[in-house]
Amino acid sequence: MKVVIDAMGGDKAPFEIIKGAVDAARELNVDLILVGKQEIIQEELKKHNIEGLNIEVVNATEIIENNESPTMAIRRKKDSSLVVAFKLLKEGRADALVSAGSTGAILAGGIFLLGRINGIDRAALTPVIPGKNGPFVIVDAGANADCKPNNLLQFALMGEVYANKVLGINNPKVGLANIGAEEEKGNELTKQSYRILKENIKGFVGNIEGRDIPNGDVQVVVCDGFTGNMILKVYEGVAATIFDILKSEIMSSTMTKIGGMLLKPVFKKFKRKFDYTEYGGAILLGVEGLVIKAHGSSNAKAFKNAIRQAKNAFDGKILQDIKEELNRINRE
């Protein structure tokens, strides 16, 4: 498998990006194309042992920044590391693309440069989230603020395939994010979506309320991108707040410091379970290619795991399975 890397995208690019990519090449046995400013990439590669690894460097003179208009940047910066990486994926020179760069630019690139899968109306950003009883995915987590019921049906279909093929969950449960568990709850979008999901998605278990999402008992949480992004950001914020409060309370007295030392293994295990670096990033489902959006502040470990995510998606043949599921629904 060959993965094209936007080496200049992300808060810690290119240093952590290249380190993570090299680690992935060695551990996961994947070939790499590193795209970006050639001199900088080659100097950075000298810091690592790349003997025996298949790593190609492709020069790109421009970088898309987070504060730029995503669509305009994709159109104007033809020689940016992200646009060049998309072109290599489109041309079939790579099997997947991984970037920690601008989310908006990655969405725009996926839609305008790769195109959507035939039969898919909207692409969906799909992060893997740690839960109490196991990981789950949110579809969509920010690509589409306004949706129609048929969009949510397609999100559910793609999320179900992804949870099965990449997370390894047999018969994943699919839930519709809503303000109540009853079928008649919610706005017009969720009421109509409930009916269409019930008719077409075999793993659909009904509505899921916000307080139940973190349990991870429902492995595919379906919603519009506005709702999904709110869920994601609140989830991240609450987790960070809990860690900060615990740290503050533990350091507040000698007794609590002693208690904290005794519980240190428990806290480390808890933190590792909710560590975003273990999951890598969010896949952009619905486009004609495998695209992984790594966290903007990804360190080497997180970026390596984003590449692992791409490999799992490639090995699981999720694009093929999504197309087959679309055909099944259309036939029915």
Side-chain angles (χ1 to χ4, degrees):
M1 178 192 182
K2 183 172 287 188
V3 184
V4 60
I5 305 295
D6 171 16
M8 312 309 290
D11 300 339
K12 299 177 181 179
F15 320 110
E16 293 291 318
I17 302 304
I18 292 174
K19 183 179 186 305
V22 170
D23 290 345
R26 192 167 299 283
E27 291 182 30
L28 305 176
N29 193 29
V30 296
D31 299 334
L32 301 176
I33 304 176
L34 300 177
V35 183
K37 296 184 178 180
Q38 194 168 24
E39 292 181 4
I40 295 175
I41 293 174
Q42 289 174 338
E43 281 299 313
E44 196 62 29
L45 284 174
K46 291 178 182 178
K47 301 176 185 178
H48 305 283
N49 176 19
I50 60 173
E51 185 178 355
L53 301 180
N54 186 1
I55 300 177
E56 178 184 356
V57 178
V58 173
N59 189 48
T61 60
E62 298 176 299
I63 300 172
I64 293 178
E65 306 290 350
N66 285 326
N67 59 357
E68 295 183 73
S69 166
T71 303
M72 294 300 293
I74 288 292
R75 289 175 176 172
R76 290 179 176 177
K77 289 191 170 181
K78 303 294 186 183
D79 200 40
S80 65
S81 55
L82 183 60
V83 170
V84 173
F86 267 116
K87 288 180 179 178
L88 292 172
L89 181 62
K90 176 75 172 178
E91 292 167 0
R93 290 178 57 184
D95 301 301
L97 182 155
V98 182
S99 174
S102 162
T103 301
I106 292 169
L107 293 173
I111 294 168
F112 298 123
L113 300 180
L114 295 181
R116 290 185 290 269
I117 292 172
N118 186 32
I120 295 292
D121 299 320
R122 304 278 186 90
L125 200 61
T126 309
V128 180
I129 311 295
K132 176 185 174 184
N133 300 317
F136 60 94
V137 296
I138 297 176
V139 201
D140 171 32
N144 307 279
D146 298 303
C147 292
K148 296 177 180 179
N150 194 56
N151 301 141
L152 268 59
L153 170 62
Q154 293 173 2
F155 295 169
L157 179 152
M158 295 189 293
E160 193 173 39
V161 170
Y162 188 73
N164 175 240
K165 294 293 184 177
V166 178
L167 300 185
I169 302 169
N170 292 323
N171 302 314
K173 295 178 180 178
V174 179
L176 178 64
N178 208 337
I179 58 172
E182 298 84 0
E183 183 173 349
E184 67 276 6
K185 284 293 183 71
N187 55 22
E188 283 305 309
L189 173 62
T190 55
K191 290 176 184 177
Q192 293 179 35
S193 297
Y194 189 105
R195 291 191 289 272
I196 197 170
L197 292 179
K198 186 177 180 180
E199 292 171 1
N200 293 283
I201 301 298
K202 57 187 175 182
F204 184 59
V205 295
N207 291 326
I208 179 170
E209 296 183 79
R211 64 187 174 192
D212 297 320
I213 290 174
N215 291 332
D217 294 324
V218 172
Q219 292 87 27
V220 181
V221 178
V222 179
C223 52
D224 62 85
F226 184 91
T227 302
N229 196 262
M230 290 291 289
I231 293 171
L232 179 64
K233 296 297 174 58
V234 169
Y235 200 88
E236 291 176 344
V238 169
T241 300
I242 288 173
F243 286 126
D244 288 344
I245 292 173
L246 279 173
K247 184 176 180 180
S248 178
E249 290 298 324
I250 287 169
M251 299 302 292
S252 64
S253 70
T254 302
M255 288 297 293
T256 55
K257 288 178 182 177
I258 294 171
M261 289 296 294
L262 294 173
L263 289 171
K264 191 174 181 179
V266 176
F267 292 138
K268 287 182 70 175
K269 185 177 179 181
F270 178 74
K271 187 174 182 179
R272 186 166 57 250
K273 188 172 183 178
F274 285 87
D275 184 2
Y276 79 91
T277 64
E278 297 289 341
Y279 297 92
I283 190 169
L284 182 60
L285 292 176
V287 296
E288 277 287 1
L290 294 177
V291 179
I292 305 293
K293 165 63 176 84
H295 201 287
S297 59
S298 289
N299 57 19
K301 177 184 175 183
F303 202 80
K304 177 189 72 177
N305 283 328
I307 296 173
R308 186 193 305 278
Q309 197 175 359
K311 185 177 188 300
N312 290 341
F314 176 77
D315 291 343
K317 300 180 180 178
I318 65 163
L319 292 180
Q320 178 181 326
D321 281 11
I322 287 172
K323 292 173 184 178
E324 288 176 359
E325 281 297 297
L326 276 172
N327 290 333
R328 177 186 67 80
I329 287 179
N330 290 335
R331 286 195 304 268
E332 294 175 354

